[in-house]
């Protein structure tokens, strides 16, 4: 456990982590302060941050399991202590950390007798298991247990819709809890007299171990900023940006012209092996490109400005910023 003495600044707005501890691999706690705030500001920030922490941060979990030997969800299998339903509930609780975009496959293949734990999950390198000791099943006889898994990164909670045709091929959806923040609270301490009263905001964050409370605070803050950015533009400018989503160009050279020059400077084979992960893109632009299966520089160069503007949440400013990053990494003369 780490504790620090709380000191309150009387000048500039400052934040600090005053307590941090790891209770176990699947439970981390952090306590933060933000001060000094004018009366009423602490509640405004605290409510928004709590909602962002619980609902706006992406997490990774198992969303589907498949095994052809399972007749139905509530069946039991000879040689396995748990029922199929209990195994699915155990899979639901597995904590995962990843930089996935969309879904990926994984599988379990174990032979009894013995315990099957999260350590037996074979997953891609982009997926990391938070606690390898998490229990999945106990095999009481020398039998094989093979289960295919679907892993997904998303946000919020998604209730699985169970349809009869899902079970015919041995596929079972699992309720998805993508929220890495288990709980978040805020409290306020007021000090001063009369019109000079000020406030200190205290934020408490509990996470499932897939990210630290400080990481959760940073990500929630970034997501809130992204939501408010449109309000920084005037109404006329916003309308202009909407028009540019379909018609805008980037003088003096258009987007297509600039990327054509980059293509001339680099061989196509080289472009194929330059991944956008190497470009140090802002998270929002990176996420937008990944969602559209743009993984390499060659994929990006094959897209026109019009194609990029069709991407959800992609703006003309993002195109300009993307060009600036490309010019920084490569010569576009």
């Amino acid at each position: 456990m780490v504790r620090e003495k709380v000191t309150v600044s009387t000048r500039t707005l400052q934040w600090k982590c005053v307590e941090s501890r790891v209770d176990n691999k699947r439970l981390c706690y952090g306590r933060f302060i933000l001060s000094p705030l004018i009366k009423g500001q602490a509640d405004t920030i605290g409510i928004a941050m709590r909602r962002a922490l619980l609902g706006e941060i992406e997490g990774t979990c198992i969303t589907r399991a498949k095994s052809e030997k399972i007749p139905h969800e509530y069946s039991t299998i000879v040689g396995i202590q748990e029922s199929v339903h209990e195994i699915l509930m155990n899979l639901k609780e597995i904590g995962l950390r990843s930089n996935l975009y969309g879904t990926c496959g994984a599988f379990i293949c174990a032979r009894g007798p013995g315990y099957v734990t999260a350590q037996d999950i074979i997953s891609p390198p982009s997926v990391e298991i938070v606690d390898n000791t998490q229990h999945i099943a106990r095999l009481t006889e020398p039998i094989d247990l093979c289960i295919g898994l679907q892993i997904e990164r998303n946000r919020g909670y998604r209730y699985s819709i169970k349809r009869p045709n899902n079970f015919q091929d041995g596929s079972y959806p699992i309720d998805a809890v993508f929220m890495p923040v288990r709980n978040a609270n805020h409290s306020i301490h007021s000090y001063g007299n009369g019109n000079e009263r000020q406030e200190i905001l205290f934020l408490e964050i509990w996470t499932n171990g897939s990210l630290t409370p400080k990481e959760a605070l940073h990500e929630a803050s970034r997501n809130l900023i992204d939501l408010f950015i449109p309000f920084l533009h005037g109404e006329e400018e916003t309308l202009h940006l909407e028009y540019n989503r379909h018609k805008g160009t980037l003088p003096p050279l258009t987007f297509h012209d600039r990327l054509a020059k980059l293509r001339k400077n680099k061989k196509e084979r080289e472009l194929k092996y330059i991944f956008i992960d190497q470009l140090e893109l802002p998270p929002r632009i990176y996420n937008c490109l990944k969602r559209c299966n743009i993984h390499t520089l060659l994929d990006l160069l094959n897209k026109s400005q019009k194609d990029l503007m069709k991407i959800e949440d992609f703006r003309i400013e993002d195109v300009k910023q993307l060009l600036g990053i490309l010019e920084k990494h490569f010569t576009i003369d």
Side-chain angles (χ1 to χ4, degrees), residues 222-235:
R222 284 196 301 268
N223 291 340
L224 275 178
I225 290 169
D226 285 343
L227 290 174
F228 284 112
I229 281 177
F231 293 108
L232 298 178
H233 304 292
E235 187 175 357

PDB file of all heavy atoms in Angstrom, residues 222-235:
ATOM      1  N   ARG A 222      -9.467  11.156 -21.164  1.00  0.00           N
ATOM      2  CA  ARG A 222      -9.312  11.334 -22.611  1.00  0.00           C
ATOM      3  C   ARG A 222     -10.639  11.150 -23.334  1.00  0.00           C
ATOM      4  O   ARG A 222     -10.969  11.899 -24.260  1.00  0.00           O
ATOM      5  CB  ARG A 222      -8.277  10.346 -23.169  1.00  0.00           C
ATOM      6  CG  ARG A 222      -6.836  10.716 -22.875  1.00  0.00           C
ATOM      7  CD  ARG A 222      -5.887   9.935 -23.760  1.00  0.00           C
ATOM      8  NE  ARG A 222      -6.029   8.500 -23.576  1.00  0.00           N
ATOM      9  CZ  ARG A 222      -5.309   7.789 -22.722  1.00  0.00           C
ATOM     10  NH1 ARG A 222      -4.387   8.385 -21.981  1.00  0.00           N
ATOM     11  NH2 ARG A 222      -5.495   6.498 -22.603  1.00  0.00           N
ATOM     12  N   ASN A 223     -11.412  10.150 -22.910  1.00  0.00           N
ATOM     13  CA  ASN A 223     -12.699   9.899 -23.550  1.00  0.00           C
ATOM     14  C   ASN A 223     -13.670  11.050 -23.326  1.00  0.00           C
ATOM     15  O   ASN A 223     -14.441  11.409 -24.224  1.00  0.00           O
ATOM     16  CB  ASN A 223     -13.307   8.595 -23.027  1.00  0.00           C
ATOM     17  CG  ASN A 223     -12.535   7.372 -23.490  1.00  0.00           C
ATOM     18  OD1 ASN A 223     -11.783   7.439 -24.468  1.00  0.00           O
ATOM     19  ND2 ASN A 223     -12.687   6.261 -22.804  1.00  0.00           N
ATOM     20  N   LEU A 224     -13.653  11.638 -22.129  1.00  0.00           N
ATOM     21  CA  LEU A 224     -14.509  12.792 -21.863  1.00  0.00           C
ATOM     22  C   LEU A 224     -14.098  13.979 -22.728  1.00  0.00           C
ATOM     23  O   LEU A 224     -14.950  14.688 -23.273  1.00  0.00           O
ATOM     24  CB  LEU A 224     -14.432  13.181 -20.382  1.00  0.00           C
ATOM     25  CG  LEU A 224     -15.356  12.434 -19.420  1.00  0.00           C
ATOM     26  CD1 LEU A 224     -15.118  12.906 -17.995  1.00  0.00           C
ATOM     27  CD2 LEU A 224     -16.818  12.622 -19.796  1.00  0.00           C
ATOM     28  N   ILE A 225     -12.793  14.198 -22.863  1.00  0.00           N
ATOM     29  CA  ILE A 225     -12.306  15.306 -23.695  1.00  0.00           C
ATOM     30  C   ILE A 225     -12.775  15.131 -25.141  1.00  0.00           C
ATOM     31  O   ILE A 225     -13.228  16.078 -25.783  1.00  0.00           O
ATOM     32  CB  ILE A 225     -10.766  15.397 -23.619  1.00  0.00           C
ATOM     33  CG1 ILE A 225     -10.341  15.877 -22.225  1.00  0.00           C
ATOM     34  CG2 ILE A 225     -10.213  16.335 -24.684  1.00  0.00           C
ATOM     35  CD1 ILE A 225      -8.860  15.765 -21.955  1.00  0.00           C
ATOM     36  N   ASP A 226     -12.682  13.893 -25.663  1.00  0.00           N
ATOM     37  CA  ASP A 226     -13.120  13.637 -27.035  1.00  0.00           C
ATOM     38  C   ASP A 226     -14.601  13.953 -27.224  1.00  0.00           C
ATOM     39  O   ASP A 226     -15.019  14.430 -28.284  1.00  0.00           O
ATOM     40  CB  ASP A 226     -12.859  12.170 -27.408  1.00  0.00           C
ATOM     41  CG  ASP A 226     -11.388  11.888 -27.677  1.00  0.00           C
ATOM     42  OD1 ASP A 226     -10.641  12.866 -27.894  1.00  0.00           O
ATOM     43  OD2 ASP A 226     -10.994  10.727 -27.670  1.00  0.00           O
ATOM     44  N   LEU A 227     -15.405  13.684 -26.179  1.00  0.00           N
ATOM     45  CA  LEU A 227     -16.836  13.952 -26.281  1.00  0.00           C
ATOM     46  C   LEU A 227     -17.138  15.447 -26.325  1.00  0.00           C
ATOM     47  O   LEU A 227     -18.125  15.876 -26.935  1.00  0.00           O
ATOM     48  CB  LEU A 227     -17.573  13.310 -25.095  1.00  0.00           C
ATOM     49  CG  LEU A 227     -17.649  11.780 -25.091  1.00  0.00           C
ATOM     50  CD1 LEU A 227     -18.264  11.289 -23.785  1.00  0.00           C
ATOM     51  CD2 LEU A 227     -18.459  11.271 -26.269  1.00  0.00           C
ATOM     52  N   PHE A 228     -16.289  16.262 -25.685  1.00  0.00           N
ATOM     53  CA  PHE A 228     -16.559  17.695 -25.598  1.00  0.00           C
ATOM     54  C   PHE A 228     -15.893  18.505 -26.707  1.00  0.00           C
ATOM     55  O   PHE A 228     -16.211  19.679 -26.879  1.00  0.00           O
ATOM     56  CB  PHE A 228     -16.100  18.239 -24.234  1.00  0.00           C
ATOM     57  CG  PHE A 228     -17.027  17.874 -23.121  1.00  0.00           C
ATOM     58  CD1 PHE A 228     -16.624  16.992 -22.122  1.00  0.00           C
ATOM     59  CD2 PHE A 228     -18.301  18.395 -23.055  1.00  0.00           C
ATOM     60  CE1 PHE A 228     -17.477  16.647 -21.085  1.00  0.00           C
ATOM     61  CE2 PHE A 228     -19.160  18.061 -22.025  1.00  0.00           C
ATOM     62  CZ  PHE A 228     -18.754  17.181 -21.035  1.00  0.00           C
ATOM     63  N   ILE A 229     -14.969  17.898 -27.457  1.00  0.00           N
ATOM     64  CA  ILE A 229     -14.259  18.637 -28.498  1.00  0.00           C
ATOM     65  C   ILE A 229     -15.192  19.325 -29.493  1.00  0.00           C
ATOM     66  O   ILE A 229     -14.950  20.479 -29.875  1.00  0.00           O
ATOM     67  CB  ILE A 229     -13.253  17.708 -29.220  1.00  0.00           C
ATOM     68  CG1 ILE A 229     -11.999  17.546 -28.359  1.00  0.00           C
ATOM     69  CG2 ILE A 229     -12.878  18.249 -30.597  1.00  0.00           C
ATOM     70  CD1 ILE A 229     -10.980  16.593 -28.929  1.00  0.00           C
ATOM     71  N   PRO A 230     -16.293  18.675 -29.959  1.00  0.00           N
ATOM     72  CA  PRO A 230     -17.169  19.360 -30.922  1.00  0.00           C
ATOM     73  C   PRO A 230     -17.710  20.695 -30.420  1.00  0.00           C
ATOM     74  O   PRO A 230     -17.946  21.609 -31.214  1.00  0.00           O
ATOM     75  CB  PRO A 230     -18.307  18.353 -31.138  1.00  0.00           C
ATOM     76  CG  PRO A 230     -17.695  17.029 -30.847  1.00  0.00           C
ATOM     77  CD  PRO A 230     -16.727  17.286 -29.737  1.00  0.00           C
ATOM     78  N   PHE A 231     -17.894  20.839 -29.100  1.00  0.00           N
ATOM     79  CA  PHE A 231     -18.432  22.084 -28.561  1.00  0.00           C
ATOM     80  C   PHE A 231     -17.410  23.225 -28.589  1.00  0.00           C
ATOM     81  O   PHE A 231     -17.771  24.377 -28.355  1.00  0.00           O
ATOM     82  CB  PHE A 231     -18.919  21.874 -27.117  1.00  0.00           C
ATOM     83  CG  PHE A 231     -20.107  20.961 -27.030  1.00  0.00           C
ATOM     84  CD1 PHE A 231     -19.985  19.678 -26.522  1.00  0.00           C
ATOM     85  CD2 PHE A 231     -21.355  21.380 -27.462  1.00  0.00           C
ATOM     86  CE1 PHE A 231     -21.071  18.824 -26.441  1.00  0.00           C
ATOM     87  CE2 PHE A 231     -22.450  20.530 -27.390  1.00  0.00           C
ATOM     88  CZ  PHE A 231     -22.313  19.255 -26.880  1.00  0.00           C
ATOM     89  N   LEU A 232     -16.149  22.893 -28.854  1.00  0.00           N
ATOM     90  CA  LEU A 232     -15.125  23.933 -28.932  1.00  0.00           C
ATOM     91  C   LEU A 232     -15.185  24.690 -30.255  1.00  0.00           C
ATOM     92  O   LEU A 232     -14.586  25.745 -30.399  1.00  0.00           O
ATOM     93  CB  LEU A 232     -13.728  23.318 -28.761  1.00  0.00           C
ATOM     94  CG  LEU A 232     -13.465  22.626 -27.417  1.00  0.00           C
ATOM     95  CD1 LEU A 232     -12.074  22.016 -27.408  1.00  0.00           C
ATOM     96  CD2 LEU A 232     -13.618  23.595 -26.262  1.00  0.00           C
ATOM     97  N   HIS A 233     -15.898  24.125 -31.231  1.00  0.00           N
ATOM     98  CA  HIS A 233     -16.043  24.769 -32.523  1.00  0.00           C
ATOM     99  C   HIS A 233     -17.332  25.580 -32.547  1.00  0.00           C
ATOM    100  O   HIS A 233     -18.348  25.161 -31.988  1.00  0.00           O
ATOM    101  CB  HIS A 233     -16.085  23.730 -33.653  1.00  0.00           C
ATOM    102  CG  HIS A 233     -14.899  22.839 -33.679  1.00  0.00           C
ATOM    103  ND1 HIS A 233     -13.641  23.287 -34.001  1.00  0.00           N
ATOM    104  CD2 HIS A 233     -14.760  21.518 -33.410  1.00  0.00           C
ATOM    105  CE1 HIS A 233     -12.787  22.283 -33.941  1.00  0.00           C
ATOM    106  NE2 HIS A 233     -13.441  21.197 -33.579  1.00  0.00           N
ATOM    107  N   GLY A 234     -17.299  26.724 -33.211  1.00  0.00           N
ATOM    108  CA  GLY A 234     -18.516  27.508 -33.375  1.00  0.00           C
ATOM    109  C   GLY A 234     -19.496  26.786 -34.269  1.00  0.00           C
ATOM    110  O   GLY A 234     -19.144  25.855 -34.998  1.00  0.00           O
ATOM    111  N   GLU A 235     -20.756  27.225 -34.245  1.00  0.00           N
ATOM    112  CA  GLU A 235     -21.792  26.549 -35.018  1.00  0.00           C
ATOM    113  C   GLU A 235     -21.477  26.576 -36.510  1.00  0.00           C
ATOM    114  O   GLU A 235     -21.616  25.582 -37.207  1.00  0.00           O
ATOM    115  CB  GLU A 235     -23.154  27.215 -34.763  1.00  0.00           C
ATOM    116  CG  GLU A 235     -24.305  26.460 -35.413  1.00  0.00           C
ATOM    117  CD  GLU A 235     -25.639  27.070 -35.052  1.00  0.00           C
ATOM    118  OE1 GLU A 235     -25.657  28.027 -34.255  1.00  0.00           O
ATOM    119  OE2 GLU A 235     -26.649  26.605 -35.600  1.00  0.00           O
TER     120      GLU A 235
END
